Amino acid sequence: MPTEEELFASVDALLEEEPQLPPPAERARLREAAGITQARLAAVLRTSTQTVKNWENGRSEPKEPRLSAYQRLLAGWVAKYPAHGASAATPVPAPSAAPQPDVPQTFTGPAAPETDEPELDAKAPAVQERPARPAGRPATSRRLAAARAVKPAADPRFPHGPLAVVDGDGSAYGVDGLVLDCPAATVVELVEWTLRESGLGAARLHRHGKDSDPLVVLTAAAAVKFGLPERLEDRRGLRLAEDHKVVKQVLKARWQLTQRGFGPWARVYRKAQGRERQCVQLAILPWDALDSRSWPGVAEMEPADIARVLGVYAQRVITPRGGTAVNGLELMTALRPPTRPERNGESGGWVSGHNPGSLGTEPMDPAPPEGQPEHPAIFHSGWQGGFLHEEAYQWVRDIDHLEGWEMTQLYAVGLDLNTAFLAASARLVVGLSAPDHFRAPAFNAKIPGSWLVDLSHIELDPRLPSPFTPDGKRPTGPAWYQTHTVAYAEELGFKVAPIEAYLRRETGAYLDPWHDRLKTAFVDTLADLGVTKDLSDGEFLAAMERHRDVDPAMAAVLAAIKATVKGGIGKLFENPQGKNYKPGDPWPAMQRPTWRPDIRAAVISKARVNMHRKLNNMVKLTGLYPLAVLSDCVVYPSPGASPLDFLPYAASGKPQPGGFRLGPTPGLAKLEGVQPMAWAVDLMEQGLNPARHIKGGDAVLDEGE
């Protein structure tokens, strides 16, 4: 005989099998009887119109918390609009109090307006409820911050945003909590689903540019599901072997891969059909697509939170196409496209023409002093005239120039300039055309280029670094300098007499839109972390101390933005790589139009000059000299453990202009770290740089932030 407990369990199982909702056709009848459109219902339930369609044609079922809300709505409509016939519809049980999920409920944004376009076929992606987070996995997203950070896609061509993170269970997590059903079982099916049904992508950033291709991020479980190895064995080439079954499937289906092959950031494409691009960007998380140095902690997040981080980055910066350095370079091109349509004078038709202010479509050989000895044009020319050496500061004051009163200070306090290279790129005029050679030209600070000048006669205070060399030492003879460095010598009151120069006739502020977009992204993301422009200096320091703990997802976005700045500038002068490279041979990076070492030199020169100008002004305002400088970090002796103890302020309490100022915008400073003064002196005696270790724990400063 069964026990009472077994019978009760059987009865409970039978009750659970009872339909919770009326049949799909009845759901549609009730909605139409109430005079409500599918779009209106989708907006009320905070889902998509396609999801409502799927509920009413039986393709999918609602899940909590929408299930209880939908039950309640249908029960109300049943009472108002009963069906003809006693048993036409299954009664809707009265819903109990809706359970509270432990994750934010999904919201797909305002429903798209109804159109005459046909509905998607049976494989249409259905929006489903986000599954509950496993116990012990803390949530890292916040509903209000997410709603503020990522706005629904405005372009009707891309209703579901720029990207999705696909998990092993067939769920594709998009921006703003959206979850799509992804029925694909192979990489080829995934690519075709993405292009035909997902609604993913992003509009171009410039009217002459290209739309961003949809990005699909694969978790470790998804990678295994699609037949990809858990670990990429080719760690040097970072790609699957050409005979791997997935690569064969892709090529057999007449899709193509770029020269990078199938690696952590694989691009699968076909030739565009008219104006319709056929390209999908894949990012494979288990293959370290999201480097922890640029995307701290993101690869370990839940798929929905990964989608949130990447979605905010895509909305504020660009849809990722690779590492942050690649994205920084891609953003330059996206904001300054190389071509634009123009009328052909003879035929009257449209042709592709040069877009003024851009770098064009062809690579450009550098001036001999602007490149490196390995470059083919320089290597084969036999150039022996020296090279431009504009790099960030790595300077430590000579211990013999440390004064007694400085050694009695209690602390060494490090200040770090926010995105110093980004600040230097603002209104920066760079060369756009090929360089021309001049002998004994008159110096002109408005012309970007490289100047051979002797600045060794300029003697400055040894307690400050020289503004003309990265190591801060006085020049020993003629050397090549970028325009900003020479102009600063004139600003300091010294005459300059260039021996020769390589200058560019066509100029422009190429990086301006890049600077503006990244500055806005940086400031807005800091604001999301509680660091806003309206804070007092004391409040700013307190907010910066805790900002990383406010929201780990947004903190990761901030780190990625900073890495995009640094990496983008670095990519302008990418060196040859690989043990088999031979000097004089071309390498891939130098064959793109954005390989421009002269532009990188201009940014770094201006950043270093900006730093020296502030150091000089600090002497005038406070009498203080730095102990060390490393890129955009400077260390000062201080009587207290706060920058407020030595920064210059007017009697009114406002910061004095010209020196270092605290604040959240590029070029302003934040606290980098504090150590005992005795610690800094000990490092200086060893010839080590206190700025490199001021954070503590022997942490090396992320140079060029």
Side-chain angles (χ1 to χ4, degrees):
M1 293 289 292
T3 65
E4 182 181 273
E5 183 177 357
E6 290 173 337
L7 291 173
F8 276 20
S10 298
V11 170
D12 289 343
L14 182 62
L15 288 173
E16 289 179 359
E17 293 178 6
E18 180 182 346
Q20 293 183 303
L21 294 170
E26 177 65 5
R27 303 171 200 174
R29 185 197 70 80
L30 290 170
R31 177 184 54 76
E32 292 170 354
I36 302 299
T37 66
Q38 290 176 327
R40 174 78 183 282
L41 178 56
V44 170
L45 295 179
R46 308 187 80 173
T47 186
S48 70
T49 304
Q50 184 60 49
T51 298
V52 173
K53 292 179 181 179
N54 292 339
W55 293 346
E56 293 184 357
N57 59 29
R59 293 177 187 164
S60 67
E61 293 293 318
K63 299 177 183 179
E64 294 295 357
R66 292 190 180 87
L67 175 59
S68 295
Y70 195 31
Q71 284 177 323
R72 182 173 183 177
L73 178 63
L74 292 175
W77 282 344
V78 165
K80 285 186 176 183
Y81 314 107
H84 297 294
S87 60
T90 303
V92 180
S96 57
Q100 296 299 316
D102 63 346
V103 294
Q105 71 178 29
T106 59
F107 172 48
T108 63
E114 292 187 328
T115 68
D116 295 330
E117 295 179 358
E119 293 185 10
L120 298 177
D121 59 23
K123 294 183 180 180
V127 179
Q128 61 185 15
E129 188 59 42
R130 181 186 302 177
R133 189 183 305 275
R137 300 289 294 274
T140 59
S141 62
R142 299 187 308 164
R143 185 188 311 172
L144 293 179
R148 179 177 68 250
V150 182
K151 299 179 181 179
D155 195 313
R157 298 172 300 160
F158 312 115
H160 293 151
L163 55 90
V165 181
V166 177
D167 208 346
D169 62 1
S171 296
Y173 296 81
V175 299
D176 204 22
L178 178 75
V179 187
L180 302 172
D181 287 327
C182 177
T186 66
V187 169
V188 171
E189 292 178 359
L190 176 65
V191 170
E192 293 175 349
W193 172 83
T194 302
L195 292 174
R196 296 175 184 175
E197 304 174 27
S198 71
L200 298 176
R204 65 198 68 188
L205 298 180
H206 187 282
R207 64 193 181 103
H208 298 317
K210 300 176 181 177
D211 295 330
S212 290
D213 298 314
L215 167 64
V216 178
V217 182
L218 302 184
T219 64
V224 172
K225 173 184 176 181
F226 292 124
L228 298 171
E230 295 185 27
R231 185 177 184 276
L232 198 59
E233 296 299 329
D234 182 4
R235 304 306 298 170
R236 180 176 295 276
L238 293 177
R239 67 184 66 191
L240 285 181
E242 294 183 0
D243 60 352
H244 191 277
K245 62 179 181 179
V246 171
V247 176
K248 289 183 176 180
Q249 290 170 359
V250 170
L251 299 179
K252 184 177 180 180
R254 297 184 179 180
W255 291 97
Q256 299 181 57
L257 297 169
T258 62
Q259 291 183 350
R260 289 189 294 177
F262 203 113
W265 290 91
R267 291 181 69 77
V268 184
Y269 72 97
R270 282 179 183 153
K271 186 177 180 181
Q273 296 180 346
R275 299 185 64 181
E276 293 295 325
R277 288 173 62 81
Q278 296 188 90
C279 183
V280 175
Q281 178 74 63
L282 301 177
I284 320 298
L285 291 184
W287 298 355
D288 300 324
L290 298 180
D291 189 304
S292 60
R293 294 169 296 180
S294 302
W295 302 93
V298 177
E300 290 75 39
M301 290 181 179
E302 293 292 324
D305 292 316
I306 296 174
R308 181 187 169 214
V309 171
L310 296 178
V312 174
Y313 181 89
Q315 182 236 342
R316 295 182 177 176
V317 182
I318 193 173
T319 303
R321 289 189 55 179
T324 48
V326 171
N327 298 335
L329 207 61
E330 290 290 337
L331 182 61
M332 294 179 195
T333 303
L335 295 170
R336 294 277 199 190
T339 62
R340 67 174 183 179
E342 60 183 29
R343 289 284 188 184
N344 184 297
E346 297 180 359
S347 67
W350 290 100
V351 296
S352 179
H354 174 67
N355 185 29
S358 75
L359 298 182
T361 59
E362 297 297 325
M364 183 183 298
D365 285 341
E370 294 171 351
Q372 64 262 73
E374 299 90 345
H375 191 283
I378 299 171
F379 181 84
H380 297 295
S381 71
W383 171 261
Q384 299 293 326
F387 293 92
L388 195 66
H389 189 51
E390 297 286 12
E391 299 294 341
Y393 269 133
Q394 295 193 47
W395 171 82
V396 181
R397 200 199 310 180
D398 192 315
I399 195 70
D400 294 336
H401 293 139
L402 194 63
E403 299 183 21
W405 71 269
E406 292 177 311
M407 300 181 68
T408 63
Q409 299 300 293
L410 296 178
Y411 298 98
V413 178
L415 293 176
D416 180 72
L417 297 183
N418 298 320
T419 56
F421 289 168
L422 183 62
S425 69
R427 314 302 174 254
L428 176 68
V429 176
V430 300
L432 301 177
S433 57
D436 292 320
H437 184 230
F438 298 88
R439 293 195 178 277
F443 178 69
N444 188 331
K446 295 182 179 180
I447 302 178
S450 302
W451 309 77
L452 181 62
V453 188
D454 189 352
L455 301 179
S456 61
H457 64 285
I458 299 178
E459 184 174 359
L460 300 173
D461 194 312
R463 291 171 294 181
L464 288 176
S466 167
F468 312 125
T469 59
D471 61 7
K473 296 179 180 178
R474 182 175 173 177
T476 57
W480 290 96
Y481 302 99
Q482 202 276 335
T483 297
H484 281 87
T485 304
V486 184
Y488 189 58
E490 281 197 333
E491 182 181 324
L492 293 175
F494 299 96
K495 292 183 178 181
V496 296
I499 302 169
E500 59 180 306
Y502 285 89
L503 310 176
R504 288 171 166 80
R505 299 180 187 276
E506 184 182 344
T507 64
Y510 171 72
L511 293 174
D512 258 11
W514 186 81
H515 162 271
D516 294 347
R517 185 168 178 84
L518 285 170
K519 176 183 177 181
T520 300
F522 179 81
V523 172
D524 288 351
T525 307
L526 265 181
D528 287 335
L529 293 168
V531 186
T532 57
K533 297 179 182 179
D534 58 347
L535 299 177
S536 67
D537 283 1
E539 293 170 335
F540 167 75
L541 291 173
M544 286 299 298
E545 188 173 354
R546 61 176 180 267
H547 80 282
R548 289 188 179 88
D549 300 323
V550 171
D551 185 342
M554 296 306 293
V557 175
L558 184 68
I561 292 171
K562 294 191 288 187
T564 301
V565 173
K566 174 188 174 185
I569 297 299
K571 276 279 186 181
L572 292 169
F573 193 19
E574 190 173 1
N575 290 315
Q577 300 176 9
K579 62 180 181 180
N580 296 324
Y581 175 77
K582 297 180 180 179
D585 290 344
W587 62 95
M590 60 156 282
Q591 298 179 63
R592 63 172 186 249
T594 49
W595 189 82
R596 289 294 301 272
D598 58 300
I599 296 180
R600 175 184 178 272
V603 172
I604 296 178
S605 170
K606 185 179 176 183
R608 196 180 67 243
V609 164
N610 286 347
M611 171 66 81
H612 193 276
R613 188 180 289 112
K614 292 180 184 296
L615 298 174
N616 216 15
N617 288 337
M618 282 289 288
V619 174
K620 299 174 183 177
L621 293 169
T622 67
L624 291 177
Y625 291 86
L627 302 175
V629 183
L630 180 65
S631 187
D632 44 19
C633 178
V634 56
V635 178
Y636 276 102
S638 173
S642 169
L644 302 178
D645 294 317
F646 66 89
L647 288 179
Y649 290 88
S652 63
K654 293 184 178 181
Q656 292 276 27
F660 293 102
R661 295 178 55 186
L662 300 175
T665 56
L668 297 188
K670 63 179 183 292
L671 177 64
E672 180 71 12
V674 181
Q675 297 291 340
M677 183 63 184
W679 167 91
V681 172
D682 182 57
L683 288 181
M684 294 170 69
E685 288 177 338
Q686 301 176 56
L688 301 177
N689 194 324
R692 187 178 295 276
H693 308 281
I694 194 69
K695 285 184 178 180
D698 285 335
V700 177
L701 181 70
D702 185 14
E703 299 176 29
E705 179 184 295

